[in-house]
Structures are given as C-alpha cells and as structure tokens.
Amino acid sequence: MADAFIYDAIRSPRGKGRPDGSLHEVTAVRLSAEILNALKSRNNLDTKAIEDVIWGNVTQVAEQGGCLARSAVLASDFDEAVPGLAINRFCASGLEAVNLAANQVKGGAGNAYVAGGVEMMGRVPMGSDGAAIAVDPTLAMGTYFVPQGISADIIATEYGFSRDDADAFAVESQKRAAAAWEAGRFAKSVVPINDQNGLPIIERDEYMRPGTDMQSLGALKASFKDMGESMPGFDKVALMKYPHLEAINHIHHAGNSSGIVDGSAAILIGSEEFGKANGLKPRARIRATAKIGTDPTIMLTGPVPVTQKILTDHGMEIGDIDLFEVNEAFSSVVLRFMQAFDVDHAKLNVNGGAIAMGHPLGATGAMILGTLLDELERSDKEVGLATLCVASGMGAATIIERV
C-alpha cells in the first residue's frame, strides 16, 4: 500500500456559537469555502489534482444540509470537477474525514484529498436534526439513552473523579490555551476569516476565558443535575444500566465542559507522487487509523478502547506515543484517558483544548490533528495520537509521525 502524507493543515479561529459571536453572520458553506480557498492559495494548488473533498459536519439540516461538501466546493475557487462527500460520525466527523481520505490514498484511489469539516453551532443548533437515538423510544429505551452530560457524569462516578478534579483540569486547559496563543503556537495553522469587504471579522479564538480559576468554577451549578434527577429521570435510566452505582455524582458544568462554537478546518492529504508533482514537502505520514463502537449509555469512553485497538493493530505501545490530543468534550473524558493509560498530562493537550477554545463538532477532529502536527514540529517530537469520544458510543483515533 502507498503511504498517505499530510502536506498542510489549517483552521479558522473558533467563534462563540451564539448571535454575538464573530462568525455568526457566516454560513457553514461560506466558512468551508473560505477554508478551502486558503488551503488552495497557500499551497498554490491546481485543484484539478484533488480527487475529492471529504467534509464532516454533525447537524446536517437546513443550511448545513444537502451534501455540504459539494456545496462548499462550488462556493469556493476549487475546480468544479472536484466532487464532495459529507460525512457524519458525530464529534469525530472531522477526524474520520481525514482517516477516510488517508485510506483512499493508501489504497490507490486517488493521489490527493482535502479532508476536514465545519460546524456553525450558533446558526444550526446541536440536536436540531432530531437524532433517532434521542427521540425514537423504541431505540432510546433499548439502549438506555441518556444525554451526553449525564454520560460524562457517569464516567466521573464510575472512575472516581471529583468536581475538584474536573475543575482543576479545566483551569489548566484555559491556562495552556492562553499561553499557546501568547506564544504564537497557533500562528502556523489559523487563518483569519474576512467579511465581504475583505476586512477581518475574526483572527483568534474568542471563546477562551483565561482568567478562569477554581473559585469562579466552584460557583457554577452542575449543569446536568436537574436533568438527571427530575423527569424524565435520566439518573434512574443510568442506574438501571449500572446498578452497582448508588447515585450519579453530577460534576460537570459549562466551565469544565467543551464550549459551543463555530469553526472549520481542512487538511491536505496526498501520496508521495502528489507532493513531488506539485512541489510540496510532506509534514507527516498518517501511520494508522481506527474506529470502534462502545457502550452507548456511558457513551464517551471511546478514546480508551480505540486507542487500545489502534496500538494493538499496529504493533505499538502507549510509550511509543510522544504527544496526545484527546478532545476535551468533558473533563472526565480526558481524565479517564489519562487514568487508563497512566499518561503524563505534560504530554497531552499541551496547548489546551475544547474546554478553553470550544468544540465545533464536525471540525474538531481535523483541528486537533492539525494542532498535534504543529506541536510535534515545535517540540521536535516524532509520533502523535489524536482521538475523540463520539456520541452514541464510539471512538476514533489517528496516529501520525513526522517525516
């Protein structure tokens, strides 16, 4: 099989996912087109060489509906001969787009792909697509469905994480993200988004709250306690599934969970021949990809088994990984990952994560992979792993190595 290489990785800044957010005026199609154009411009791409654009987005309704990937191509400066494929693996959609593209290249189905994703959470609300697992009782009852926030609290209860543990992790994410921006660590990948007059409307992540401390987080009410304890009684559903737990310890709130934001990201993936033909130098090789299904009630533990799977399948051990990016959907998700593999926090999410900067669902996987690549280069490390938890009980992972 051929090797698949990453030639470039870019992203938009993350805008607050609400009406006063800087990206609120921008549609998903337009933001995607802006990112595609930026990738084309900075690599001087002849886009006729691109086999496909694989684009993740989660809430595929209204202006994010149809085949958004093809719409983005047509709205961009890409050649109209480039098709588009819209995919949805919930929060891992952006990473799964990359994995699909890489495996197409490895299998010889084209020499170059653009993969990534978008989510405009302030314009198309999460859950507005009416997911069957949440609204169809014949499925929800059989899978013991609970909302993700309850799942995160189940993880905390099952694996012994306290409110202070989660808040301390969140404070550190804010500190790391602020320090990374101050040091210019995102400058290589973040491209400003301009308005129709060419004036920048956003140039940096705007969700961050660098002044966050334990005292300010301690004043916040647990977000999912009432949902769990009042009707329809999701805690009771969880305890039916996990009767060994006496009660659910509700520790998550807006400050130690991922932020609702808008954003997009793209990665240029190609074969060695593509790079040579276009005068491009590869930055990393996509060494391995993996996905897995997991318990749909606790739902968010996927990073652990998918990491075990990707390491086993490719003859590797956790010690072979120099840096980790684990999406900060909720504090307990990452705390569980570190606990399971005894990973030093100094090697994980070293520039902060979604708790500080936000989680634009369909784009996040591509974003964290780009962040991982930038940090491998900056710190002169070799091998990195990116992974995300996924709604309905799944996990996805990618291992890259510098070349």
Side-chain angles (χ1 to χ4, degrees), residues 57-349:
N57 71 288
V58 174
T59 310
Q60 297 188 2
V61 296
E63 62 191 48
Q64 285 185 173
C67 181
L68 193 148
R70 177 58 175 169
S71 297
V73 168
L74 294 175
S76 75
D77 297 331
F78 273 45
D79 192 279
E80 68 177 15
V82 180
L85 172 65
I87 68 161
N88 183 0
R89 200 187 291 280
F90 295 121
C91 297
S93 297
L95 190 68
E96 189 61 38
V98 173
N99 291 351
L100 286 171
N103 290 326
Q104 292 279 74
V105 171
K106 290 181 179 182
N111 279 326
Y113 286 75
V114 173
V118 68
E119 206 78 34
M120 303 305 290
M121 300 180 73
R123 295 179 63 91
V124 184
M126 178 172 55
S128 57
D129 54 345
I133 195 166
V135 302
D136 182 345
T138 63
L139 178 61
M141 292 176 65
T143 57
Y144 295 89
F145 169 81
V146 298
Q148 285 191 19
I150 303 291
S151 299
D153 288 338
I154 296 172
I155 293 173
T157 307
E158 177 72 24
Y159 295 102
F161 305 124
S162 68
R163 168 75 178 253
D164 281 352
D165 292 335
D167 286 357
F169 181 86
V171 169
E172 183 63 18
S173 180
Q174 295 283 355
K175 289 180 178 178
R176 291 183 179 195
W181 269 105
E182 184 67 24
R185 294 184 185 178
F186 299 124
K188 191 171 187 176
S189 298
V190 174
V191 297
I193 303 301
N194 300 323
D195 63 17
Q196 294 180 350
N197 298 314
L199 300 175
I201 58 176
I202 187 169
E203 298 180 291
R204 60 181 287 143
D205 297 327
E206 68 177 0
Y207 181 81
M208 296 186 300
R209 301 177 296 274
T212 298
D213 56 24
M214 292 293 287
Q215 289 71 32
S216 62
L217 294 186
L220 298 176
K221 180 181 178 181
S223 297
F224 308 103
K225 182 177 175 65
D226 289 346
M227 181 187 297
E229 295 179 353
S230 62
M231 291 301 291
F234 286 113
D235 281 8
K236 292 181 180 179
V237 175
L239 294 173
M240 289 173 63
K241 182 73 174 285
Y242 313 111
H244 62 284
L245 301 177
E246 293 184 4
I248 306 302
N249 182 21
H250 293 285
I251 69 167
H252 288 94
H253 50 74
N256 59 27
S257 308
S258 57
I260 293 175
V261 296
D262 303 325
S264 182
I267 294 180
L268 177 60
I269 300 158
S271 64
E272 183 177 8
E273 291 75 19
F274 166 77
K276 289 178 177 178
N278 290 272
L280 299 174
K281 182 180 178 181
R283 295 174 60 188
R285 180 171 72 96
I286 298 178
R287 184 167 174 176
T289 69
K291 60 273 189 185
I292 201 168
T294 64
D295 180 341
T297 307
I298 202 168
M299 192 184 308
L300 307 173
T301 55
V304 173
V306 81
T307 296
Q308 293 168 333
K309 182 177 190 295
I310 199 170
L311 294 174
T312 299
D313 287 352
H314 296 275
M316 301 176 69
E317 298 179 353
I318 201 72
D320 296 327
I321 308 297
D322 298 314
L323 290 173
F324 300 85
E325 283 287 329
V326 181
N327 185 40
E328 296 175 0
F330 299 89
S331 288
S332 64
V333 172
V334 192
L335 291 171
R336 171 56 188 153
F337 185 91
M338 290 191 292
Q339 178 192 68
F341 295 106
D342 194 24
V343 169
D344 188 342
H345 198 182
K347 294 182 176 182
L348 183 146
N349 297 5

